[in-house]
Amino acid sequence: MPHSPDLDRLAATVLQPGFDGTTPPGWLLGHLAGGLGGVVLFARNISEDTPRLVRRLREENPQVIVAVDEEGGTVTRLEAATGSSWPGNAALGVLDDPATTEATGREIGLLLAEAGITLDYAPDVDVNADPANPVIGIRSFGADAGLVARHSAAWVTGLQSTGVAACAKHFPGHGDTVTDSHLALPTVHASRDLLERRDLPPFRAAIAAGVRAVMCGHLMVPALDPALPATLSRRVLTGLLRLELGFTGVTVTDAIEMKAVAALLPPPEIAVRALAAGADAICVGASTPGGENVTALREGIVRAVHEGALPESRLAEAAGRVRALAAWHASHGAPDQPGMIGRDPHYGVSVLGLDAARRALRVTIPAGDASPDRPVLTRPPQVVEMTARPHQAIGGALPYGPGEALAALLPGTERAVLTPGRDAVPPLREPEQAPVVVVTHDAHRHAWMRDRLAEILRRRPDAVVVEMGLPGRPAGAVYLATNGNSRVSSLAAAEWLTGH
């Protein structure tokens, strides 16, 4: 079957693989020289030399899209070692101040632009309709479609003002699920009418704000397509996203090694079917040591065109959108305000982010009706932090509790970390010896966490409870909800507790 002479290059253009290490391996440079259209950076790739890394990638392919997953809050790549300088979407939703959300998007954009990043796989515009959702939660602006829509648009506007492209995710909406798509294929059990009222408004708002990319989720949505997950569904990616919602930018898949789709088909077939359905870029989070899986994907796409399973015109259209996005980024040049993120001189975090985290704190006194008029902690406390295993979108264990910050403010603070299935509650100090602070994260989702919390409160009903995830039923003498587990959320909690 006749095909254009640059078919290999077209196939390479639509791939966005990750790699290991802080310097690009030879196989990646070779693929870039052959037209590889994108590279995804993870925390494992980030160092103080990240701008140099990005420049090296562009030496091989000046048009390469360099993407990263920088949501702020719990999902961060550039600040993975310390925790994010911004409190995350849930806190911004609690504030419900679109100007702060837009400014947050802009600061994150400045951070990425200074590193040379093209595309941010953010914001998460899912409406967190189910509090038991294991993978969205505080990554969402909230459970109300209107609130999520206005903050999605504000975040997109702020980020893209810096010349970094935003990517609204996870289309058509991952909020009403109880399954993590990294582990299995979730199903959204909602009528088309409910999807229209609840899940689609944030995507419509992001598109109206000019979002340059949309990421599809690995989701079964029977009301839209009873046979295929969204990633492979032409009804979803072309019929709904393109024709009904009018999106004209780049559609990128979530990582195709995620078990939601990887359990169904071999990677090359996933890529081909996603492209045929309307996707323009294939995200490949994990690559083999020599990049053999990237070669197999490119060859599989070329073979599908030869065999007629993928029209060359569809592949050319996808590659054209990828190149247009790269050109859009290049047209903005360097950020117009390099280094203009205001940093707190003591903590080194964003002043804007720390202020937002402070304002997002919510305090409940279960036994009373007013907040304390003096610091809750005046002596070094005993801190018990309960940590759940982080989901794979986070990319590893991040510090999310205020224990470190409390230890800095109140030297002599004792810290213990409890993990699921292993650790018992440590011996607790007597009230006259030390106050007790219990830190939880989404306690409403974890029975082991609730059980240990109940045990601690039986022994120390005067304990302070700090919830770093979605707030649940208030407990303890003081219940402090941060609405986020970033570094600034931890700092804000520690400051409030100590009166600093």
Side-chain angles (χ1 to χ4, degrees):
M1 175 177 198
H3 60 86
S4 61
D6 64 346
L7 184 55
D8 279 353
R9 204 168 188 88
L10 287 177
T13 299
V14 301
L15 299 178
Q16 296 186 355
F19 64 97
D20 291 332
T22 57
T23 57
W27 69 261
L28 181 62
L29 297 177
H31 276 284
L32 286 166
L36 183 67
V39 175
V40 186
L41 301 184
F42 292 88
R44 62 182 184 261
N45 308 121
I46 303 302
S47 73
E48 60 185 15
D49 289 329
T50 298
R52 182 186 302 175
L53 164 64
V54 174
R55 288 194 297 271
R56 181 69 185 94
L57 299 175
R58 292 211 166 98
E59 287 175 2
E60 297 297 335
N61 182 357
Q63 291 185 307
V64 66
I65 288 176
V66 182
V68 74
D69 214 344
E70 188 66 47
E71 298 177 12
T74 194
V75 177
T76 178
R77 302 294 184 245
L78 270 69
E79 295 188 306
T82 58
S84 179
S85 291
W86 297 274
N89 286 0
L92 294 173
V94 166
L95 292 180
D96 198 10
D97 177 4
T100 296
T101 298
E102 182 174 340
T104 297
R106 177 169 177 77
E107 285 202 344
I108 291 175
L110 288 171
L111 179 74
L112 300 181
E114 287 182 309
I117 304 297
T118 314
L119 171 64
D120 187 4
Y121 292 153
D124 187 317
V125 307
D126 299 308
V127 178
N128 195 59
D130 192 333
N133 193 311
V135 71
I136 303 302
I138 55 173
R139 299 168 66 194
S140 167
F141 290 110
D144 177 79
L147 179 145
V148 176
R150 61 180 169 268
H151 287 277
S152 298
W155 209 100
V156 166
T157 298
L159 184 87
Q160 294 192 163
S161 72
T162 67
V164 176
C167 180
K169 63 185 183 186
H170 306 82
F171 188 80
H174 204 323
D176 189 15
T177 65
V178 292
T179 302
D180 182 348
S181 52
H182 293 87
L183 306 176
L185 180 61
T187 298
V188 178
H189 299 286
S191 67
R192 176 60 190 261
D193 178 66
L194 180 56
L195 293 171
E196 287 284 354
R197 290 184 286 108
R198 183 191 65 195
D199 298 281
L200 295 182
F203 290 99
R204 292 184 185 275
I207 291 169
V211 71
R212 308 299 300 192
V214 169
M215 176 178 283
C216 60
H218 301 318
L219 307 163
M220 281 297 301
V221 190
L224 300 177
D225 190 329
L228 295 171
T231 306
L232 310 179
S233 172
R234 186 167 179 81
R235 293 184 185 182
V236 174
L237 298 188
T238 298
L240 178 58
L241 182 59
R242 296 286 184 203
L243 300 180
E244 291 190 40
L245 273 60
F247 179 62
T248 59
V250 171
T251 302
V252 60
T253 70
D254 212 340
I256 62 170
E257 71 272 15
M258 293 166 63
K259 292 181 181 178
V261 291
L264 304 177
L265 297 165
E269 191 168 350
I270 295 171
V272 167
R273 292 196 182 190
L275 290 165
D280 303 306
I282 308 298
C283 176
V284 190
S287 296
T288 53
E292 296 88 354
N293 65 326
V294 179
T295 300
L297 287 167
R298 189 194 70 228
E299 291 176 347
I301 293 169
V302 170
R303 185 168 55 252
V305 173
H306 285 320
E307 296 173 352
L310 175 65
E312 186 173 340
S313 59
R314 167 79 272 272
L315 178 59
E317 177 186 53
R321 289 197 182 112
V322 170
R323 290 168 178 163
L325 179 58
W328 175 86
H329 170 76
S331 71
H332 284 77
D336 58 350
Q337 292 181 295
M340 289 303 292
I341 298 173
R343 295 283 180 177
D344 181 273
H346 181 62
Y347 299 124
V349 298
S350 161
V351 172
L352 170 76
L354 183 56
D355 176 69
R358 289 166 174 159
R359 292 192 289 135
L361 296 176
R362 295 296 181 265
V363 180
T364 305
I365 311 296
D369 57 2
S371 296
D373 57 4
R374 58 183 176 78
V376 173
L377 302 177
T378 56
R379 297 174 293 150
Q382 180 181 14
V383 181
V384 181
E385 297 180 272
M386 294 191 237
T387 175
R389 295 185 181 93
H391 56 75
Q392 293 181 38
I394 294 176
L398 289 176
Y400 69 73
E404 182 178 351
L406 285 172
L409 295 172
L410 295 172
T413 294
E414 298 179 30
R415 299 174 63 193
V417 177
L418 304 186
T419 55
R422 286 203 309 244
D423 301 322
V425 173
L428 298 177
R429 299 290 188 182
E430 295 299 323
E432 62 271 14
Q433 295 176 318
V436 170
V437 177
V438 188
V439 183
T440 58
H441 184 277
D442 284 348
H444 68 282
R445 291 200 301 109
H446 302 289
W448 72 270
M449 204 176 283
R450 295 193 301 275
D451 290 344
R452 285 175 172 79
L453 175 60
E455 180 183 347
I456 293 172
L457 292 178
R458 280 195 299 269
R459 293 156 59 183
R460 288 292 303 268
D462 62 322
V464 175
V465 178
V466 180
E467 172 56 64
M468 304 290 292
L470 291 180
R473 183 176 181 178
V478 176
Y479 183 83
L480 179 61
T482 62
N483 294 289
N485 65 356
S486 69
R487 185 180 179 207
V488 288
S489 298
S490 296
L491 293 171
E495 288 180 336
W496 188 89
L497 289 168
T498 60
H500 285 73

